Amino acid sequence: MARIAYFGPEGTFTEQAARILAPDGELVPFETIPQALAAVRAGTTDGACVPVENSVEGVVPATLDGLADREPLIAFAEALLPVHFSVLTRPDTEQIHTVASHPHALAQVRLWLEEHLPGARPVASSSTAAAAVAVQAGEYDAAVTAPVAAEHYPLKVLATEVADVRDARTRFLLVRKPEHPLPEPTGADRTSVVAAAANRTGALAELLTELAVRGINLTRLDARPSKGNFGEYRFFFDFEGHVAEPRIGDALAALRRRCRNVRFLGSHPRADGVRATIEPLADNHDFTDAAAWVAAVRKGELA
């Protein structure tokens, strides 16, 4: 049975995602995202489930930085969860003066709290489940948590299905060491890389052009500072397609030529099942046909 680390403690949305991505795995909670990733690198676990982006609050910096630094890890699968929260209290709580949760969660229920608990003070915690633990310990009066938290902690559900944005979703990754074989391409895949471009005019535009001229649709772009040099940034790209496809491989080779450092972060099926958009003259056959023509020219086989 595979051991899968996840951003815990028990009762987080990440636990829910891990149940989907590794239904037969032994799930092992870790207090932080870096600790979960470190467990995979150390061989303590076979993989890790971590959040990567939320449709309301954006990317999760700890995950991006954790994948860009140290030994490589590869994303092999993803899950997309709707984000609706529960508000938990101790059974004997009569008045709520403090509400604890992860900052992303507090931001996604701000309007609900203003309407239903206008006198409560929001307090940031390391995770939604850590907030539940703190409420159980009597440190705070209520916690905004994932619904699964109610299965782990003896708390009362004050409210459920709480969300300011009803269709908010969070994407989670299952990452492993790169020696495992990649999933086969499905036609509805996502490839991720991080590139450290030179700090000069037009560097990012050049990278984007390499994708555009090959008809590759970009699905996410984020910039994070390079920790070693102030003012320098790493760019995180998600785009449609799989590294096994000639057009994607051609684009990755071009990015590698352009950049001082490119790290491949994975190719895997998209959780939403959206198939890649193929522009005219940018089909994989067009790339293989062009490569075959060049090979023929080099051999002098053209009439």
Side-chain angles (χ1 to χ4, degrees), residues 76 181-191 240-249 264 266-270 274-276 278 284:
F76 285 79
L182 289 174
E184 294 294 324
T186 65
D189 304 294
R190 190 191 314 274
T191 291
E240 294 178 347
H242 192 285
V243 66
E245 299 178 59
R247 66 193 187 96
I248 302 301
F264 174 70
S267 286
H268 53 77
R270 292 179 58 161
V274 174
R275 299 187 66 82
I278 307 297
N284 286 309

Side-chain angles (χ1 to χ4, degrees), residues 103-120:
H104 275 201
L106 291 173
Q108 293 179 71
V109 299
R110 179 178 58 83
L111 297 179
W112 188 93
L113 292 176
E114 290 177 355
E115 179 180 354
H116 297 276
L117 298 173

Side-chain angles (χ1 to χ4, degrees), residues 33-287:
I33 290 171
Q35 288 176 358
L37 297 177
V40 186
R41 292 186 170 110
T44 306
T45 64
D46 301 294
C49 180
V50 290
V52 66
E53 65 172 328
N54 174 266
S55 60
V56 176
E57 289 300 298
V59 299
V60 181
T63 296
L64 296 189
D65 292 342
L67 294 177
D69 296 325
R70 303 187 62 184
E71 299 89 346
L73 295 175
I74 303 296
F76 285 79
E78 67 178 34
L80 199 60
L81 292 187
V83 180
H84 297 156
F85 298 92
S86 293
V87 180
L88 307 183
T89 66
R90 292 183 302 280
D92 59 350
T93 298
E94 296 182 358
Q95 293 186 333
I96 296 176
H97 301 288
T98 53
V99 180
S101 195
H102 188 276
H104 275 201
L106 291 173
Q108 293 179 71
V109 299
R110 179 178 58 83
L111 297 179
W112 188 93
L113 292 176
E114 290 177 355
E115 179 180 354
H116 297 276
L117 298 173
R121 176 172 59 89
V123 181
S125 62
S126 60
S127 70
T128 56
V133 172
V135 169
Q136 184 180 349
E139 298 176 29
Y140 307 113
D141 300 320
V144 177
T145 72
V148 71
E151 300 177 15
H152 296 292
Y153 306 104
L155 299 173
K156 179 179 68 175
V157 178
L158 179 67
T160 191
E161 292 294 309
V162 175
D164 292 345
V165 179
R166 299 307 303 173
D167 60 349
R169 296 183 294 175
T170 296
R171 184 162 66 96
F172 299 84
L173 300 178
L174 177 64
V175 301
R176 305 175 74 182
K177 290 185 176 181
E179 59 257 29
H180 297 277
L182 289 174
E184 294 294 324
T186 65
D189 304 294
R190 190 191 314 274
T191 291
S192 304
V193 298
V194 54
N199 186 14
R200 59 179 176 79
T201 302
L204 176 58
E206 291 174 357
L207 300 185
L208 296 175
T209 297
E210 296 293 359
L211 300 178
V213 298
R214 291 167 177 82
I216 297 172
N217 186 36
L218 187 71
T219 59
R220 183 175 63 87
L221 168 62
D222 291 286
R224 295 285 299 156
S226 298
K227 295 182 179 179
N229 296 298
F230 181 78
E232 292 189 4
Y233 287 82
R234 296 178 292 201
F235 299 103
F236 292 80
F237 299 94
D238 283 354
F239 45 85
E240 294 178 347
H242 192 285
V243 66
E245 299 178 59
R247 66 193 187 96
I248 302 301
D250 195 59
L252 291 179
L255 293 178
R256 175 67 175 173
R257 289 195 305 271
R258 294 275 189 186
C259 295
R260 295 171 300 168
N261 183 26
V262 177
R263 174 173 286 194
F264 174 70
L265 299 179
S267 286
H268 53 77
R270 292 179 58 161
D272 56 14
V274 174
R275 299 187 66 82
T277 303
I278 307 297
E279 298 294 331
L281 303 180
D283 187 86
N284 286 309
H285 173 74
D286 296 314
F287 284 87

